[in-house]
Amino acid sequence: FVFVGGVALFGCSFYFRSRKGAAAFTAAEGSLPTWVVGMSIFATFVSSISFLGLPGDAYKGNWNPFVFSLSIPIATWLAAKVFIPLYRGINSVSAYHYLEMRFGYWARCYVAVCYLLTQLARVGSILLLLALPLNTMFGWDIQTIIVCTGIATLIYTLLGGIAAVVWTDAIQGIILIVGAVACAAILTFTMPEGPGQLFAIASAHGKFSLGSFGASLTEPTFWVVLIYGLFVNMQNYGIDQNYVQRYLTAKNGKEAKFSALFGGYLFIPVSMVFFMIGTALYAYYKMQPELLPDHITGDSVFPYFIVHGLPTGVTGLLIASIFAAGMSTVATSVTSSATIILTDYYKRFSCKQPTEKQSMRILYGSNVIIGIIGIIVALALLNVESVLDVWWSLSSIFSGGILGLFLLGYVTRK
């Protein structure tokens, strides 16, 4: 509670900086430190899905999903080499202005609509996936968690603008890393016969395997996951407004490139820690099966361990980490969506040269609307059997054509 309240208050402290105008609200006037932007990019990539889902994957299977992380260096290098100079050169805070330059407004409109739909689905999914484990752990009401977390995040996003989002992302990213490392260390060093036992059990059961290196395209082999990760991460780091907006908050092109590489590369060791947690949980309960009730399986094992296996205080740190992962993602989606509404629709159809007061009114209103609809989407997903399946389906439908359109515009001359 102290963490969530503190983050909200810290974000609100940026109010006087953000009210200078639309440029300050959407891009912080290109004045943010490199490490802060890099940490924000990292925190944007990590959601509560990563924090709870990756250990669950490692517990149930092996390290095959970690191959997804191995594609990040290629994607971030391409972003630094190709996309960042492009965005900083076209003098627009919208990632999709480039598509209008290449194909006309229909392309920009199509991508902006798909982006907004993707972000609404994302906000709803993250808020629900944040609430579910807390409901399992403490019995708190899911709807109350969704509404309270959504409103707290919306308040500091609304008042502080992108500067508040980026700075709070950086703090949330640090809390997230500390929580994950603390959990992995406790699991590793509390094995009955020491850390060596963990690695012996995991190796004997193939838990460190990266998957098959065969040529099959009908199963998640090493190569299939690597290629999938490459295209998904190219879309994230290359054309997603969430990331593009962060590139524009850096002081210059060189710092923007470093921020992208720093944020992307940082996810690799941190995701390794997440997978280590899942593998350690497998060995931990393999040797002490009496500590795990029969009805706790798969993705539920990590939340159960947080409540029943960690010392008092560390449990709170892990819960704060889960909130950090969820709130940073939601804040990012709300801010970027409001920016798209201003640049791609309001300035296009209602007022091409709005005053600063008009622009701020649209940004504030869009933040509120996106935040409220996101909360409603989360509540609507309550009865869905698998939130992750719905999110993956919706994001595939809404964003599937965006990367192809960008690449077509970049590699063709006519």
Side-chain angles (χ1 to χ4, degrees):
F1 285 114
V2 170
F3 170 77
V4 174
V7 164
L9 287 173
F10 178 67
C12 292
S13 69
F14 289 87
Y15 173 67
F16 294 103
R17 183 189 298 187
S18 71
R19 65 182 298 193
K20 291 179 181 178
F25 193 91
T26 59
E29 298 177 302
S31 62
L32 299 183
T34 310
W35 75 269
V36 174
V37 179
M39 281 300 299
S40 177
I41 289 171
F42 162 76
T44 298
F45 198 83
V46 181
S47 67
S48 25
I49 298 174
S50 307
F51 202 95
L52 296 167
L54 297 185
D57 283 344
Y59 178 86
K60 291 180 290 186
N62 53 32
W63 282 41
N64 176 245
F66 178 67
V67 179
F68 178 87
S69 302
L70 300 180
S71 66
I72 289 178
I74 304 171
T76 51
W77 180 83
L78 284 170
K81 187 77 174 174
V82 175
F83 290 107
I84 291 177
L86 175 69
Y87 294 129
R88 293 188 68 92
I90 61 176
N91 196 31
S92 174
V93 75
S94 169
Y96 311 128
H97 176 73
Y98 172 72
L99 289 177
E100 182 176 7
M101 293 166 57
R102 290 293 286 114
F103 299 116
Y105 182 70
W106 70 267
R108 182 176 184 174
C109 181
Y110 156 71
V111 171
V113 167
C114 289
Y115 178 78
L116 291 174
L117 291 172
T118 304
Q119 296 312 302
L120 289 173
R122 189 185 196 205
V123 170
S125 301
I126 296 297
L127 285 174
L128 179 54
L129 288 166
L130 175 66
L132 287 174
L134 295 173
N135 171 262
T136 303
M137 289 189 279
F138 305 110
W140 297 349
D141 181 64
I142 294 179
Q143 294 172 317
T144 304
I145 299 171
I146 289 172
V147 173
C148 291
T149 309
I151 290 174
T153 307
L154 180 60
I155 287 172
Y156 78 74
T157 304
L158 184 66
L159 294 179
I162 192 67
V165 172
V166 171
W167 271 100
T168 53
D169 276 358
I171 293 171
Q172 287 162 332
I174 294 169
I175 295 289
L176 190 154
I177 293 170
V178 171
V181 170
C183 187
I186 289 169
L187 273 166
T188 301
F189 291 101
T190 54
M191 289 294 293
E193 298 176 19
Q197 186 182 30
L198 187 161
F199 290 96
I201 294 171
S203 298
H205 291 83
K207 303 302 282 187
F208 291 118
S209 170
L210 294 177
S212 165
F213 284 85
S216 171
L217 296 178
T218 59
E219 55 184 309
T221 64
F222 178 93
W223 307 113
V224 167
V225 177
L226 185 68
I227 294 168
Y228 165 76
L230 176 61
F231 281 95
V232 170
N233 287 317
M234 277 176 62
Q235 183 166 315
N236 285 329
Y237 288 98
I239 63 173
D240 192 314
Q241 177 70 22
N242 289 325
Y243 297 82
V244 172
Q245 211 159 333
R246 273 147 186 75
Y247 303 154
L248 299 176
T249 62
K251 295 174 183 177
N252 53 53
K254 184 179 179 181
E255 292 195 11
K257 291 177 182 179
F258 180 82
S259 298
L261 295 171
F262 172 74
Y265 290 173
L266 181 60
F267 181 76
I268 299 172
V270 174
S271 66
M272 190 180 291
V273 173
F274 288 143
F275 281 102
M276 192 65 216
I277 289 172
T279 302
L281 282 170
Y282 178 85
Y284 183 84
Y285 287 121
K286 189 78 174 174
M287 291 306 299
Q288 305 169 97
E290 69 280 359
L291 297 180
L292 187 67
D294 293 337
H295 68 281
I296 303 294
T297 58
D299 290 341
S300 303
V301 174
F302 187 31
Y304 179 85
F305 176 78
I306 290 173
V307 176
H308 298 94
L310 290 175
T312 302
V314 182
T315 298
L317 175 64
L318 264 293
I319 294 164
S321 300
I322 294 170
F323 268 106
M327 291 173 70
S328 62
T329 308
V330 170
T332 296
S333 292
V334 170
T335 306
S336 62
S337 298
T339 303
I340 289 298
I341 290 172
L342 172 67
T343 57
D344 292 40
Y345 294 108
Y346 181 74
K347 286 186 176 180
R348 180 74 190 195
F349 295 113
S350 296
C351 183
K352 289 190 176 182
Q353 297 293 331
T355 63
E356 290 294 345
K357 189 174 182 179
Q358 288 173 318
S359 297
M360 293 304 295
R361 191 183 301 130
I362 295 299
L363 287 168
Y364 286 145
S366 301
N367 268 270
V368 172
I369 292 169
I370 294 294
I372 291 173
I373 295 176
I375 293 172
I376 293 170
V377 170
L379 297 174
L381 291 173
L382 275 172
N383 297 320
V384 169
E385 186 175 340
S386 172
V387 182
L388 274 179
D389 286 346
V390 171
W391 158 241
W392 284 328
S393 298
L394 291 175
S395 63
S396 297
I397 293 167
F398 295 146
S399 65
I402 298 177
L403 179 61
L405 200 56
F406 259 91
L407 293 178
L408 184 67
Y410 189 80
V411 301
T412 57
R413 288 287 173 263
K414 294 185 179 179

